[in-house]
Amino acid sequence: QFHKDGFLVLEHFFTTEECDRMRNQIQRIIAEMEVPLHCRTEFSTKEEEQLQAQGSSDYFLTSGDKIRFFFEKGVLDERGNFLIPKEKSLSKIGHALHAYDPVFKQITHSSKVQELGRKLGLERPVVVQSMYIFKQPGIGGEVTPHQDATFLHTEPLGRILGFWIALEDATQENGCLWFIPGSHTSGITRRMVRAAPGTSTCVEFIGSEPTYDNSQFIPLPISKGGLILIHGEVVHKSELNSSESSRHVFTFHVMEAKDTSWSKENWLQPTPELPFPSLYT
């Protein structure tokens, strides 16, 4: 099913207790959050906004081996001060929770995740990034149609796999994922790459995202504890959360490292402090 559709829904993969442990841990992290004014970056998936916010920000570009904070649009004034409570302002926390936080590390490398990797035939999977996504009530921004391999490019393609864990019920009202089944078989048409030194943004896009037929997308609501496996080239999106309830998610990406090269042009790079850790422990 995964190879046919490019995604797979596994309901109740994680327990309620595991989900609550992750949610409680993120509250602790937020309570201790200190973000310098110049680092308060609004997160967007719209290309122009992306280039301006993330693209001009070393804070984003150097977040691969750190735990950093990214905010929803419209929650900061022009001086970078919060207009609403800070815990309600976050879009996501990334990109190395799996490496530096004990709770998220344990979940990422849990025996059931490792077993699933083996069932999928992954021989040398490594974890390249992780994120906690909030999808805040009323303001959780839409995520435009995209393929993860646009941002995490490998040679050959087909080596990136996303694990997307619902920490609350994800519904059509609060912004569940939508997919185009089978759309992982046609390659990619757009890449986000590190820009040449001296350019005004530090990332740029090569190619363009085609216009997708909205009627091809199917919604994938999933209950708390469910896991969605996401092929690196499958087209997916989520809508604005206009409901009263949040849609918290922990997600991480693995790469099959065997016979694979990670693009030197990717925004995210392994560092001496944090080489990509093996999924299998």
Side-chain angles (χ1 to χ4, degrees):
Q1 195 69 38
F2 174 72
H3 292 299
K4 177 171 144 307
D5 290 336
F7 58 86
L8 184 67
V9 177
L10 298 169
E11 287 280 11
H12 310 298
F13 191 81
F14 289 95
T15 64
T16 301
E17 293 73 36
E18 286 170 316
C19 293
D20 292 344
R21 199 181 322 143
M22 287 187 266
R23 293 196 58 188
N24 293 336
Q25 186 69 357
I26 218 73
Q27 292 311 318
R28 281 198 281 275
I29 290 171
I30 295 169
E32 295 167 10
M33 169 174 79
E34 284 299 329
V35 185
L37 282 177
H38 70 278
C39 297
R40 291 182 184 170
T41 305
E42 292 184 350
F43 191 75
S44 171
T45 61
K46 294 202 165 65
E47 188 166 310
E48 284 308 308
E49 293 171 2
Q50 223 168 21
L51 290 174
Q52 279 175 345
Q54 282 105 270
S56 56
S57 167
D58 267 349
Y59 186 76
F60 170 74
L61 212 56
T62 56
S63 63
D65 61 353
K66 300 177 184 68
I67 295 175
R68 288 196 166 161
F69 306 92
F70 302 91
F71 300 93
E72 286 292 353
K73 284 192 300 201
V75 302
L76 302 168
D77 67 18
E78 59 279 5
R79 307 231 299 276
N81 297 309
F82 292 104
L83 297 168
I84 61 175
K86 65 180 184 180
E87 65 277 3
K88 295 270 189 238
S89 64
L90 281 156
S91 166
K92 66 174 201 171
I93 296 177
H95 288 90
L97 286 162
H98 63 280
Y100 295 133
D101 181 89
V103 171
F104 292 100
K105 185 175 192 173
Q106 191 273 319
I107 291 288
T108 303
H109 297 280
S110 57
S111 55
K112 49 192 167 189
V113 167
Q114 296 191 40
E115 185 189 346
L116 187 54
R118 291 193 170 92
K119 282 182 176 164
L120 289 163
L122 299 176
E123 292 184 53
R124 279 182 41 217
V126 295
V127 186
V128 298
Q129 70 160 4
S130 56
M131 294 182 284
Y132 192 103
I133 303 171
F134 293 86
K135 203 75 164 178
Q136 302 283 3
I139 60 167
E142 71 166 319
V143 176
T144 52
H146 68 284
Q147 299 163 289
D148 292 344
T150 286
F151 308 94
L152 309 171
H153 190 75
T154 60
E155 296 279 345
L157 285 171
R159 302 303 173 89
I160 291 290
L161 175 65
F163 289 73
W164 193 94
I165 305 159
L167 305 184
E168 304 177 275
D169 293 349
T171 65
Q172 284 195 48
E173 292 68 45
N174 72 2
C176 70
L177 294 180
W178 295 67
F179 287 82
I180 300 181
S183 57
H184 60 300
T185 56
S186 329
I188 60 170
T189 57
R190 185 174 74 127
R191 286 184 59 193
M192 186 172 95
V193 299
R194 288 184 170 232
T199 31
S200 62
T201 58
C202 43
V203 292
E204 60 192 3
F205 284 95
I206 302 172
S208 58
E209 201 70 51
T211 306
Y212 298 106
D213 175 359
N214 252 339
S215 67
Q216 291 186 291
F217 284 93
I218 62 160
L220 286 196
I222 188 166
S223 48
K224 178 176 179 173
L227 169 69
I228 302 178
L229 288 175
I230 304 174
H231 188 285
E233 281 96 79
V234 75
V235 178
H236 58 292
K237 65 172 184 174
S238 67
E239 303 292 346
L240 175 79
N241 179 6
S242 49
S243 80
E244 301 287 299
S245 56
S246 54
R247 189 221 67 187
H248 287 204
V249 165
F250 177 57
T251 179
F252 58 92
H253 284 90
V254 306
M255 172 181 73
E256 170 59 90
K258 183 170 188 267
D259 303 326
T260 308
S261 65
W262 178 257
S263 172
K264 291 271 184 275
E265 296 182 315
N266 284 339
W267 74 269
L268 174 80
Q269 293 296 328
T271 63
E273 296 75 38
L274 183 61
F276 294 151
S278 171
L279 180 69
Y280 300 150
T281 48

